[in-house]
Amino acid sequence: VQLQASGGGLVQAGGSLRLSCAASGRTFSSYGMGWFRQAPGKEREFVATISRNGYSTDYADSVKGRFTISRDNAKNTVYLQMNSLKSEDTAVYYCARSRSMSITRTPGTYDKWGQGTQVTVSS
C-alpha cells in the first residue's frame, strides 16, 4: 500500500487547511489511520487517529478542539481539517496506517507512512 499526503501550504495564523491522505489498495477500511507531525529539530509527534470505521478518534491535547480527523472509506482517503492554526503547528505532517486493532498514539504501531506534506503557519 502507498499513502499520498497532500493539502499542505502556507497559511496565516488563525487560518485553516485541510490535509488529505489517499491510500492505494483495497484494504483501506481494515486499518486505523493516523496523522503525525515533525517540526524542525523536534521528534515526530502524534496529532490524531481514527478507527477503521471512523467511529473512534483521538487527538493530541495541543490540537484538540481545533483539528478534526475524518475518513471516507469509499474514497480510500483520510482527512485532517485544521482550524485556528498557530505558528507552533508548523511542521511536516505525515499520514500513517495503524496495524493495531484499537486506536493508538504510538508511532511504532503504524506500519505504513506517507511522504509528508509541509504546513507553515505565519504569525
Side-chain angles (χ1 to χ4, degrees):
V1 65
Q2 290 186 328
L3 302 177
Q4 182 72 39
S6 62
L10 174 64
V11 63
Q12 289 188 333
S16 298
L17 282 175
R18 188 176 82 153
L19 305 184
S20 299
C21 175
S24 63
R26 301 181 179 181
T27 60
F28 179 74
S29 61
S30 298
Y31 295 90
M33 297 294 295
W35 287 96
F36 292 77
R37 66 186 182 186
Q38 187 167 19
K42 295 187 177 181
E43 293 187 354
R44 190 171 298 189
E45 65 173 357
F46 166 77
V47 175
T49 186
I50 188 167
S51 62
R52 293 173 292 172
N53 57 16
Y55 291 165
S56 297
T57 58
D58 186 27
Y59 297 91
D61 288 346
S62 59
V63 307
K64 198 172 294 183
R66 299 188 298 121
F67 290 12
T68 302
I69 188 171
S70 62
R71 66 189 297 162
D72 185 337
N73 286 343
K75 295 183 178 179
N76 280 16
T77 302
V78 61
Y79 304 97
L80 186 67
Q81 178 66 45
M82 305 185 296
N83 299 329
S84 302
L85 283 161
K86 305 175 181 179
S87 58
E88 51 262 45
D89 295 318
T90 294
V92 177
Y93 283 72
Y94 299 89
C95 60
R97 186 185 78 173
S98 173
R99 52 183 172 82
S100 173
M101 295 301 292
S102 57
I103 56 173
T104 173
R105 299 185 174 196
T106 307
T109 60
Y110 290 78
D111 64 350
K112 298 291 184 183
W113 294 80
Q115 86 289 0
T117 185
Q118 176 71 47
V119 172
T120 303
V121 184
S122 63
S123 56

